[in-house]
């Protein structure tokens, strides 16, 4: 079977209307706007309204995609939703989105890889395009982090926000050389102890005790996560550039996962990238887990920072631990 090349042909995003800015957090926990800005880079984050779930944000992101590009939900073959905050254990958020957007001919599934979820889902989705099994695959990165955040814990509540974004994958046409060039995805389960949500699953089914112990909220040991994030993101970004005979100078834009501005800056400096080569929007959204990278891509597109033919490097690190890099050549001009 001939291997086809996969490219992103459409993109959409959704961020909830409600904004939770640092001064409001100052009233909720013992923190300051100054600490949050300097230690994390976050100024504000978007938070869902009560009752608004991950699938609602995903469907809204698809609506945005339809408003920007010509996409018919009936043409979609497969839906993959990268999320650690599904609407519920089952049915999958993919099934719920399939129904709400009217993608009647699609099958799909959820994929759990925390902050690396979008990269993992992209790698999973492209297999179906490259083998010719499917023509149109939707990849969602969507997380309602506010649903698993303890707003009395200053160590974590300042870090996260809610958002969804979606890309459409198709094969490239003719001799177009755009598309996904290479990918590296990695995992090391030894990192599970630093970043997790212990309660609610089969290990600790929900009880009054698990709730009292706040096990239904995410837990993080920030320092080791920070250290691993920088070293693994740099390692994988360097490896993917080197094995494609490229250097940092060859890429138009580096779109890293947005977990902490100091992680982003450390990676950019080790990769010897100029400021204009680095996507940074953590100030507006905080860490939206699986949504950060596609949100960075669509904003870069809207800001005209990327055009057809540009080389883009996506790199993420997250709970698991999971991490990876994807190298791609952007396929279209927008606006
Ligand atoms: N406001 C004020 N002080 C705070 C605070 C807040 N919101 N959060 C933590 N602190 C305090 C701590 O309690 C600690 O106080 P202590 O020294 O008296 O114990 C102090 O600040 C320093 O804590 P530390 O954890 O060393 O801070 P840090 O510089 O490592 O920053 C993180 C903390 C969480 C911002 C940072 O470690 C981080 O971003 N880690 C990685 C996050 C990440 O990537 N997560 C997602 C994976 S993709």
């Amino acid at each position: 079977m001939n291997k086809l090349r996969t490219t992103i042909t459409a993109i959409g995003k959704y961020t909830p209307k409600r904004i939770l800015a640092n001064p409001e957090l100052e009233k909720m926990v013992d923190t300051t706007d100054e600490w949050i800005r300097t230690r994390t880079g976050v100024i504000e984050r978007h938070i869902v309204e009560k009752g608004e779930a991950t699938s609602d944000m995903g469907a809204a992101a698809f609506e945005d995609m339809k408003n920007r590009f010509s996409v018919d939900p009936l043409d979609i073959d497969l839906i993959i939703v990268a999320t650690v905050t599904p609407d519920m254990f089952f049915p999958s958020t993919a099934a719920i989105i399939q129904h709400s957007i009217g993608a009647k001919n699609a099958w799909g599934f959820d994929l759990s890889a925390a902050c690396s979820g979008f990269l993992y889902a992209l790698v999973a989705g492209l297999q179906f395009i490259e083998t010719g099994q499917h023509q149109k695959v939707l990849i969602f990165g969507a997380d309602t982090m506010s649903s698993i955040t303890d707003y009395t814990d200053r160590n974590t509540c300042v870090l996260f926000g809610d958002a969804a974004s979606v890309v459409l994958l198709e094969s490239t046409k003719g001799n177009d050389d755009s598309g996904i060039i290479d990918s590296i995805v990695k995992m090391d389960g030894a990192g599970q102890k630093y970043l997790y949500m212990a309660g609610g699953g089969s290990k600790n089914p929900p009880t009054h005790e698990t709730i009292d112990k706040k096990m239904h909220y995410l837990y993080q040991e920030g320092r080791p996560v920070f250290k691993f994030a920088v070293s693994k993101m740099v390692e994988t970004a360097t490896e993917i550039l080197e094995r494609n005979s490229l250097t940092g100078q060859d890429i138009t834009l580096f779109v890293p996962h947005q977990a902490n501005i100091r992680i982003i800056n450390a990676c950019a400096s080790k990769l010897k990238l100029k400021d204009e080569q680095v996507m940074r929007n953590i100030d507006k959204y905080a860490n939206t887990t699986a949504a950060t990278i596609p949100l960075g891509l669509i904003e870069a597109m809207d800001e005209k920072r990327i055009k057809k033919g540009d080389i883009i490097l996506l790199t993420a690190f997250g709970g698991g631990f999971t991490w990876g890099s994807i190298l791609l050549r952007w396929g279209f001009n927008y606006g």
Side-chain angles (χ1 to χ4, degrees), residues 30-31 35 39-40 115 154-155 158-159 195 220 222-223 225-226 257 259-260 262-263 287 317-318:
D30 181 15
T31 192
W35 192 96
R39 303 309 293 163
T40 73
C115 300
R154 71 175 185 176
N155 290 294
V158 303
L159 302 174
L195 184 50
Q220 172 171 253
R223 276 184 205 176
V225 176
F226 189 105
H257 171 55
N260 186 315
R262 292 181 294 132
I263 295 179
N287 182 351
F317 183 86

